[in-house]
Amino acid sequence: MRRFRLMLSLFVAFAGFAAWNSSANAQTPFGLFPEKTPIVVKVPGLDAVEQKVGAFLKTAFPDKSEKLMKQLKEGLKQATDGRDLKGLDKAKPIYVLLPNLAELSGNENPNVALIVPVLKYDDFKTTFKADELKTLKKEDGLDVLTIEEKPLYLLNKGETVVLSSQKEYAKEYSGKFTSLKGKVSAEVEASFTNSDFCIFVNMIEINNLYGAQIKGAKSLVDLALAQGGAAGGLDKKQLELAKDMILGVFQILEDSKAILVGLSLKGEGVSLKIQSQFTKDTDTSAFLKDLKPTEMAKLGALPDGKGVYSAMQLSAKSKLLSKLIQMSTADDSNEDVKAKLEKAAEALQAAGQIDTVSFADLAPISGITMNSYENGEAAFAAQMQMYNCLTETSSFGSTPLKSKPAIKENAEKVGALSFTSVKMKFDFDKAIADQNIPEEAKESMKAVLNKLMGGDGMSMWLARDDKSVLQVTAKDWESAKKQVESYLSLKAGSAKKSDTVGDSAAYKLTRNSLPKDVTFLTLIESNSLLNSIYGYVKEIPKMIPGADALQIPELKIDKNAPKSFFGLSVTLKPEHGGFDLFVPSQTIKTVADVVKPLMNQGD
């Protein structure tokens, strides 16, 4: 493994003068990678690391940024091991190629290759130390050095140098070879190019090499779920959903052409991207066939001041819609009631949902959800049909009910909207009865559930607004009415634009740091999330036997701290799927300030 560490050391040294972001490069780097390369890693340059990390630290950790930067510089200096880096091209990134994954385990000389951009090859060779250069010789058109009694092959390609521990692999670059260029979509190539740090996995090659193992593992998991579901306390519906989720992951692996994970850093925050491209005419591509991401402009037009803002774009024909309805609808142990609920769910799907937009507070849950349909009247009727079917043996949101919901038509009015009230009582004792936790912890879990729901029940008011169904959740009608009036005033244009969440700088920063067109989008205000999490953390000592003495300090959030949202999005469309996360530096600073007393508790 010493040999592998040497290659890693050289890579860190070479990356030290590579530019952080290669978006300035007009050409895709995929022309540099042989077609059958399973994994390519792109790592940013150390000079630019200092610049971007420095800007990030000043915002996220202003009181510790100088100390942290000093430690970073010292670490980078040690990593370069005193090598002369003058021959490197500072404007381009470094790539690490893993041509043979099987060799990485238990091999003292694994096949790891580096593609290093250079200004002048002769100057680049001074990167190696004097004792290493003494071993330099020519062999089959390659320069070869002997380091730690192992050969290291160098191929001068003009603007780049290929370094490999394997002679045959280095020689492959000396002639024409089929590259990965054009083998994946322009969208995947752009994501790779624009990420600061990125891991690209060539799933075509992975499936060629390990497809049989992936299929075998899938079959074993399927069998284990079938045999162990009942023993694990899962009912039929929960088991089916678990199987769909877990086996869906295997299906994604089988159907993928490429998977990448990218990380980017800037002064304003950090971004994570996970993206897949799927082979045409596969099950996954068929699942995504009818999905078309949009900008989600409705979300920014919602009232400011809530903790969570979410939006989802759907297609009435999409298989995704049927899965979501299956997951979110109620259930019942009585087969007759269950059949009625399934019929209501089918009617809801037939109404043709288009999108959903919501804003809410987290604990207790309070907010408004607007669901748009092709047929709003049919959608409202299907939802009321479902609520009217519920009995004391039913569950809603996977939580058992104590009794049949109290439903009152035309219970309240706001303007032209007439609201039907639906009030449910949950049986938290029954919900936690089968949980494998100590008896003394169950009361604390009930307290958490009560805090989340604002009691042992849920009050909702539903109204049809043309092709939309408006659903309001609140502790009472007075609170619900205020939310409706705030929403309607913005919708009618009678409120000021500055009252919308989309007009705030914090929202704009996070929204602009995520893809423009998405399928699912959520922005969560940091202080609201911290307050909610803290409410649950306080209950932890009560749930753990013998942990009563653990003291959780009071949460102190600076009310004058700038507002920030962390955001996540999912983008689904034919042949592509992606997940993006953006965490602002201000959010990290807020979390650090709150966690600091917890970390210093023992001081």
Side-chain angles (χ1 to χ4, degrees), residues 579-594:
F579 169 85
D580 288 84
L581 173 71
F582 177 73
V583 184
S585 302
Q586 179 58 49
T587 295
I588 296 172
K589 180 181 183 301
T590 299
V591 173
D593 290 343
V594 170

Side-chain angles (χ1 to χ4, degrees), residues 47 79 108 134 153 203 243 319 325 439 442 484 507 525 600:
D47 274 8
E108 292 187 359
K134 288 179 181 178
Y153 297 92
M203 289 304 298
K243 285 182 65 175
K319 294 181 180 179
I325 291 176
E439 287 298 322
K442 291 184 177 181
V484 174
Y507 179 94
E525 200 279 316
N600 297 334

Side-chain angles (χ1 to χ4, degrees), residues 15 37 154 227 238 257 270 354 429 477 508 537 575 587:
T37 306
L154 289 74
Q227 294 181 343
Q238 291 172 328
K257 293 181 70 174
V270 58
I354 299 170
D429 288 318
W477 172 244
K508 289 177 181 177
V537 170
E575 299 183 37
T587 295

Side-chain angles (χ1 to χ4, degrees), residues 117-160:
V118 297
L119 296 171
K120 190 176 180 181
Y121 181 59
D122 287 340
D123 289 341
F124 165 76
K125 286 190 289 188
T126 62
T127 301
F128 298 96
K129 296 180 179 181
D131 60 330
E132 296 168 346
L133 287 172
K134 288 179 181 178
T135 66
L136 181 63
K137 62 180 181 179
K138 291 283 187 181
E139 187 176 315
D140 291 343
L142 305 171
D143 282 340
V144 57
L145 296 164
T146 300
I147 303 175
E148 295 184 357
E149 300 181 353
K150 297 287 193 306
L152 177 64
Y153 297 92
L154 289 74
L155 175 65
N156 179 12
K157 296 282 289 183
E159 294 183 355
T160 60

